[in-house]
Amino acid sequence: MIWRHLMLLGVSVVLLMRVECRIKEGKTLTFRRTQHSESQDQMRRRPRRDASSSPGLSKPSHGPPFTSCRLLLTPAEHEVLDDNTHETGFNGDDGSYVILTWVGDDTGVVLVLSTISGPVHPLNEGGSSRLYRSTDYGKSFHDISQSINHTFIKEEFGVSVGPGISVILTADTPVLNNPGGIIFTSTDAGATFKFIQLPFHLAQPIVYHFLNPDYLVALSIDGGLWLSLDFGAWWTKVHDGVHSFSWGAGINLFFSCSQVDAVEAEERGDLILKRTKDLGKTFTIIHEDIYSFGYIGAFLFFSVMEDPRSPRVMYFSSDQGDTFSQALLPSASTEQFYSILDGDEDMLFLHVDNPGDTFFGTMYTSDDRGILFSKSLERHLFDGHRKSDFTNITSLRGVYLTNKLDVDGRIKSVISFNRGGTWRPLKKPENINCGDKIKSCNLHIHGEHSRNNHIVPMVTLSEPAAVGLVIAHGSVGDSLSSSQNPDVFVSSDGGYNWRGTLRGPHHYTILDSGGLIVAVEAHREGQVKTIKFSTDEGQCWKLYNFTDQPFFFAGLASEPGTNAMTVSVWGFRPEEDGQPMWVAVTIDFQSLITRECNDNDYEEWLAHSTEGGDSERNGCVLGVKETYRRLKKQSLCRNGRSFVVMKKQSPCLCTREDFLCDFGYYRHINTSECVRQPNAANKTYELCLNGEEDELLTEGYRKVPSDRCEGGFSPQLIKQTVKACGIKPSPAPPAMSTSSVTHFDTPREKLVLILVCAGAVIIVLIAIVSAVIVVKRVIYRNRTPIYRFSNLRLQDDENSTAADHESGTSSNSTACQQDSDDDLIE
């Protein structure tokens, strides 16, 4: 059965901004225990009805066959792994979930927080938490619950890890009869904790500054914005009535607030966006009447309700709010919602939904100011569960992967190798033959939509240190199929070529900077005891039974950064009394792969290179050729913790591929040329940017942000004539000789002169105003989008640490009341 758009369920489609913050210093995972009741077990043991009697309940079939190389583990290898496999049973801990957090970089410290159903301390009536600590990368754990007085820790706040080795735990404190909440802080990776009584109750997790762990910001349940400059020892309220906040570049802090009732203010768009650049001493009002705001890459953006009866409009700033401009999106309507998919200091990816419940829209890419947007991909899938399959392939520059919804309702995968400039289908895996029945044979990748519907356990995985390596679940055919069991596919060149590597769904992770891949088969109903590992990027696999007592699988965990060689398999098994017990098995592959790699183990690899074509252009993407030094697949050695990606770059000559079609232009379907849109009345556009009117003259091309090509194709790029908005510069009067000057000396002559001049001025003003109105109506009728925005949810990393940004500037002040905690854009 092929996925149709009717399967994309959802009551309403809402815009979410997706922000992925990768924290080098800490990573948190949450594992939940699935209830395996007796009745469920009985249901599982019931035989399935034959598919012929129930056509709609047939089992998923396997896709086209492929062979996956499997090597036998030698007795010596098995013995080495047995000696370096460590199992920990958390006896008596029947918590429904565990939160696992790595602290610091290469410290070996892992904290595990678990809740138990009943209090183990007489002072804790609502429940208790257990805290465990490992200093050997998870091989052994010690119960350190007494260091936090067995306090019940909030599940939704979990363990917050900041820069360095700082840790914060937030207690689940009742609001009534308590002046404030309680936190436990540690500056030594959890070896000791300090009890701190807060003067307020937290509304959300405390947020670290991205560089200085002593700088903390928090929001109280009554809308107070609080700052601490000494890692929580002392707190100062800097503002009231705050709805949301975000760190910017440097120590810039942005927040929205209101002078009236918060909920009503947000509904009417009466929030005020402010900035402090001196940690709460002074404030600057950036804009009033905002509905929501966010910060991603180097861009501050906010939606504004300029009139209660009009739709909301979006503004962007690339200089920390000093100046800002309205985003210009062609072909937008009031029925559409927007989603910021990704962004950095150079550009943004933006999804614009189609009117109605279509579950698809158009993807646009911005210029380096976040103002002008160009169409990148039509019929981009964005389902009713607020999920997009858009993925940044971090192992190779410029590569993005996503899914689109065809006119016939089929979901198909496409990939871009030049930051959304062009998209193409994925190639058929090299070890698969589709046969004659399938018309178009391509690989299609499962994304967030599939994970949300429990079709696959994991989405696409790539890491910057594992150059070119991509691991993903997919199916082969003419479209993505829910009736076909997903298999695991691997690419070693950033998505250009693929091969089938594992049959069926798996959990997988990358170790040793790509030198080692490990995987555990996903058994939805069964127990696990086997781990698979590959040292040649998934070409061949070895299997190792890591336990004699299988357990129900909960998750696969490895130290962040991919340079580790240890992995932990988490799960639970019933104890003798029938209660579940959490189990962690940690396997250290460092003793199995003992040889350090040398120069002979590496090769030079030209990224983005393809067979045939122009040798001078081969490998040119975004104006640069990149040659990497990476591990040979046949080399059995370890990169080690000190491994650093090495590459050489050389610029390429510019071609049309290095340019996007400018605002008002589109790329012709049969050529690579940018053609003016039929409804674009003129190639000259007047835009009011940063309080100035820019007259933009364009030949239809705009260089791709971050493209570094030189020479070659050089279209007439944008030229700007800058002047103050609404003011036309008048030419200087011509020089005249004194002999030609006419003098008006009598009062009558002077009166006539004044009247004539006044009349002339009025006529000229009327003519100018009329001309401006007519021209702007013609131009803006054809190109100005109408926006409808509601609130924006920033899905931050569980560690609540902001991403690193460059520094910026600002100052000023006012008092505000609390607003609602909804944060969505529609």
Side-chain angles (χ1 to χ4, degrees):
M1 178 179 61
I2 303 300
W3 282 358
R4 303 285 176 177
H5 66 276
L6 294 176
M7 294 181 63
L8 305 176
L9 304 177
V11 177
S12 62
V13 183
V14 182
L15 169 64
L16 286 175
M17 180 192 130
R18 297 177 47 184
V19 180
E20 293 185 6
C21 290
R22 294 182 177 273
I23 310 302
K24 181 182 179 183
E25 288 78 14
K27 179 181 177 183
T28 298
L29 297 174
T30 300
F31 298 138
R32 298 189 179 277
R33 176 169 55 82
T34 306
Q35 298 294 331
H36 291 265
S37 65
E38 183 178 347
S39 60
Q40 287 176 315
D41 291 336
Q42 290 176 353
M43 290 176 64
R44 291 191 187 98
R45 287 194 291 269
R46 292 177 185 172
R48 285 183 177 267
R49 287 183 291 176
D50 188 74
S52 60
S53 61
S54 293
L57 297 176
S58 59
K59 288 184 178 180
S61 62
H62 285 287
F66 62 84
T67 55
S68 178
C69 171
R70 177 176 171 181
L71 301 176
L72 293 177
L73 201 63
T74 66
E77 291 173 329
H78 203 289
E79 184 178 355
V80 169
L81 287 175
D82 282 345
D83 292 340
N84 290 276
T85 298
H86 310 270
E87 180 171 322
T88 302
F90 297 86
N91 295 301
D93 197 328
D94 63 350
S96 59
Y97 68 90
V98 294
I99 299 173
L100 183 147
T101 302
W102 283 267
V103 184
D105 185 18
D106 198 19
T107 63
V109 175
V110 184
L111 295 179
V112 172
L113 179 69
S114 171
T115 60
I116 62 175
S117 57
V120 297
H121 194 278
L123 297 180
N124 297 303
E125 299 178 357
S128 297
S129 297
R130 282 186 175 172
L131 184 64
Y132 303 91
R133 186 171 185 261
S134 171
T135 56
D136 53 10
Y137 299 95
K139 298 175 184 177
S140 62
F141 288 88
H142 303 281
D143 190 339
I144 60 168
S145 305
Q146 71 282 355
S147 65
I148 58 170
N149 301 322
H150 298 278
T151 305
F152 190 38
I153 303 300
K154 283 192 173 184
E155 175 189 357
E156 63 270 27
F157 287 13
V159 182
S160 296
V161 179
I165 54 175
S166 57
V167 182
I168 298 176
L169 302 176
T170 303
D172 194 354
T173 311
V175 176
L176 295 177
N177 303 320
N178 286 289
I182 293 171
I183 61 173
F184 296 89
T185 62
S186 173
T187 56
D188 53 12
T192 59
F193 281 91
K194 178 182 179 182
F195 173 94
I196 294 178
Q197 175 75 58
L198 298 176
F200 56 90
H201 287 278
L202 285 166
Q204 61 188 55
I206 293 172
V207 176
Y208 289 88
H209 186 268
F210 52 89
L211 290 178
N212 191 337
D214 288 337
Y215 290 0
L216 305 176
V217 60
L219 187 64
S220 63
I221 59 175
D222 60 355
L225 186 67
W226 295 76
L227 277 174
S228 174
L229 305 182
D230 53 9
F231 194 48
W234 182 262
W235 291 85
T236 303
K237 183 192 283 190
V238 297
H239 217 290
D240 287 312
V242 173
H243 169 253
S244 61
F245 63 87
S246 175
W247 286 109
I251 57 172
N252 284 299
L253 181 64
F254 301 98
F255 61 93
S256 60
C257 62
S258 176
Q259 294 179 335
V260 294
D261 179 72
V263 176
E264 291 184 7
E266 190 181 357
E267 289 176 354
R268 294 196 309 267
D270 286 345
L271 297 176
I272 301 171
L273 178 60
K274 293 187 177 183
R275 174 191 63 189
T276 174
K277 67 173 185 178
D278 50 16
L279 300 172
K281 296 177 183 177
T282 59
F283 301 92
T284 297
I285 295 178
I286 294 178
H287 208 288
E288 297 182 351
D289 301 324
I290 77 155
Y291 208 88
S292 59
F293 85 97
Y295 193 97
I296 182 172
F299 295 99
L300 170 70
F301 54 94
F302 50 93
S303 59
V304 176
M305 183 177 283
E306 296 176 332
D307 187 303
R309 296 165 297 179
S310 64
R312 292 174 283 276
V313 297
M314 180 75 95
Y315 287 85
F316 284 86
S317 172
S318 56
D319 58 8
Q320 303 297 300
D322 287 338
T323 58
F324 46 84
S325 302
Q326 182 178 336
L328 298 173
L329 289 164
S331 307
S333 75
T334 56
E335 298 300 320
Q336 298 164 309
F337 69 81
Y338 297 74
S339 171
I340 294 179
L341 302 170
D342 193 22
D344 56 22
E345 67 277 2
D346 292 320
M347 66 180 290
L348 295 168
F349 285 88
L350 183 71
H351 171 95
V352 181
D353 186 56
N354 272 33
D357 295 331
T358 60
F359 304 112
F360 68 86
T362 303
M363 185 193 303
Y364 293 90
T365 54
S366 77
D367 65 354
D368 55 3
R369 296 178 298 178
I371 299 170
L372 299 178
F373 285 80
S374 297
K375 185 184 295 184
S376 175
L377 178 67
E378 294 183 319
R379 302 192 67 88
H380 179 236
L381 177 67
F382 201 109
D383 74 18
H385 297 290
R386 308 173 186 175
K387 298 294 182 183
S388 168
D389 292 340
F390 182 84
T391 304
N392 180 8
I393 304 300
T394 58
S395 60
L396 195 61
R397 184 177 65 98
V399 184
Y400 291 84
L401 178 70
T402 194
N403 284 323
K404 58 183 294 188
L405 189 65
D406 267 8
V407 178
D408 60 2
R410 298 172 185 265
I411 296 175
K412 297 183 178 181
S413 295
V414 289
I415 192 167
S416 173
F417 298 105
N418 56 358
R419 302 201 77 182
T422 55
W423 296 84
R424 67 179 77 170
L426 279 71
K427 286 184 180 179
K428 173 186 73 69
E430 57 193 29
N431 58 344
I432 287 182
N433 184 10
C434 289
D436 299 331
K437 294 182 179 180
I438 300 176
K439 295 181 180 179
S440 57
C441 184
N442 297 98
L443 175 63
H444 303 278
I445 301 298
H446 289 279
E448 281 288 352
H449 171 70
S450 296
R451 180 164 67 172
N452 189 60
N453 286 282
H454 309 291
I455 296 172
V456 296
M458 290 190 67
V459 294
T460 303
L461 178 64
S462 61
E463 293 287 349
V467 176
L469 183 60
V470 189
I471 311 174
H473 284 100
S475 61
V476 178
D478 53 13
S479 64
L480 200 60
S481 173
S482 63
S483 63
Q484 187 183 113
N485 258 329
D487 296 318
V488 179
F489 298 86
V490 171
S491 173
S492 298
D493 55 9
Y496 283 92
N497 298 285
W498 297 81
R499 62 184 175 274
T501 185
L502 292 172
R503 297 292 278 178
H506 284 69
H507 298 262
Y508 40 75
T509 191
I510 299 172
L511 303 176
D512 192 35
S513 302
L516 180 64
I517 306 173
V518 297
V520 174
E521 191 169 356
H523 292 283
R524 192 168 296 177
E525 300 175 355
Q527 301 184 46
V528 299
K529 65 174 183 179
T530 303
I531 193 168
K532 305 174 183 181
F533 65 94
S534 171
T535 58
D536 54 11
E537 297 187 353
Q539 288 187 333
C540 292
W541 296 85
K542 292 184 178 182
L543 276 62
Y544 169 62
N545 292 334
F546 55 80
T547 182
D548 294 329
Q549 302 179 58
F551 52 78
F552 293 102
F553 180 82
L556 198 62
S558 61
E559 183 185 2
T562 74
N563 57 3
M565 295 193 69
T566 59
V567 64
S568 297
V569 184
W570 280 79
F572 56 92
R573 68 166 67 100
E575 294 187 88
E576 293 180 358
D577 59 0
Q579 293 297 316
M581 176 185 71
W582 280 102
V583 179
V585 177
T586 299
I587 307 163
D588 187 355
F589 288 92
Q590 191 165 257
S591 299
L592 181 67
I593 307 171
T594 57
R595 187 174 69 85
E596 297 283 346
C597 297
N598 56 45
D599 289 341
N600 294 328
D601 293 304
Y602 294 95
E603 63 182 356
E604 287 197 341
W605 174 65
L606 177 60
H608 296 285
S609 59
T610 56
E611 296 181 1
D614 184 0
S615 59
E616 290 188 9
R617 291 289 306 168
N618 194 26
C620 284
V621 168
L622 299 173
V624 174
K625 285 187 179 184
E626 292 179 320
T627 302
Y628 289 89
R629 177 178 178 264
R630 68 174 188 176
L631 191 65
K632 297 176 182 177
K633 292 184 179 64
Q634 64 269 26
S635 293
L636 183 58
C637 60
R638 63 185 187 209
N639 288 309
R641 289 188 170 273
S642 59
F643 176 78
V644 177
V645 175
M646 298 176 63
K647 64 180 178 181
K648 295 181 293 185
Q649 293 184 328
S650 58
C652 302
L653 290 175
C654 295
T655 67
R656 281 190 174 89
E657 293 180 357
D658 296 295
F659 294 83
L660 297 172
C661 293
D662 208 347
F663 180 77
Y665 287 74
Y666 70 97
R667 199 174 296 274
H668 194 276
I669 192 169
N670 295 323
T671 70
S672 60
E673 293 186 1
C674 292
V675 181
R676 193 180 309 160
Q677 290 179 350
N679 59 351
N682 197 300
K683 69 175 182 179
T684 302
Y685 299 98
E686 291 181 358
L687 310 173
C688 190
L689 305 178
N690 305 330
E692 296 175 328
E693 191 174 80
D694 291 0
E695 186 178 6
L696 305 181
L697 305 178
T698 176
E699 290 297 323
Y701 294 91
R702 175 166 52 87
K703 203 169 188 179
V704 175
S706 76
D707 191 296
R708 300 194 293 274
C709 69
E710 299 176 358
F713 177 72
S714 180
Q716 182 82 25
L717 294 179
I718 291 176
K719 298 179 180 178
Q720 297 184 353
T721 303
V722 182
K723 51 223 176 192
C725 281
I727 300 177
K728 305 285 184 182
S730 55
M736 294 183 292
S737 63
T738 54
S739 60
S740 63
V741 175
T742 303
H743 296 275
F744 297 91
D745 295 326
T746 67
R748 183 180 181 85
E749 289 175 332
K750 290 181 179 180
L751 178 60
V752 170
L753 176 62
I754 292 172
L755 292 175
V756 170
C757 291
V761 168
I762 292 173
I763 291 172
V764 169
L765 287 175
I766 292 174
I768 291 174
V769 170
S770 300
V772 169
I773 292 174
V774 169
V775 170
K776 295 214 175 229
R777 278 182 179 174
V778 170
I779 293 177
Y780 283 91
R781 184 186 304 124
N782 291 316
R783 69 178 182 84
T784 302
I786 301 175
Y787 304 82
R788 188 183 67 179
F789 289 90
S790 65
N791 249 359
L792 180 70
R793 183 181 302 278
L794 300 180
Q795 297 179 327
D796 289 333
D797 183 270
E798 290 131 328
N799 296 321
S800 304
T801 308
D804 193 357
H805 307 292
E806 296 176 355
S807 43
T809 46
S810 174
S811 106
N812 215 324
S813 87
T814 335
C816 303
Q817 310 289 317
Q818 178 193 4
D819 26 303
S820 80
D821 56 2
D822 244 351
D823 218 11
L824 302 171
I825 290 189
E826 66 179 21

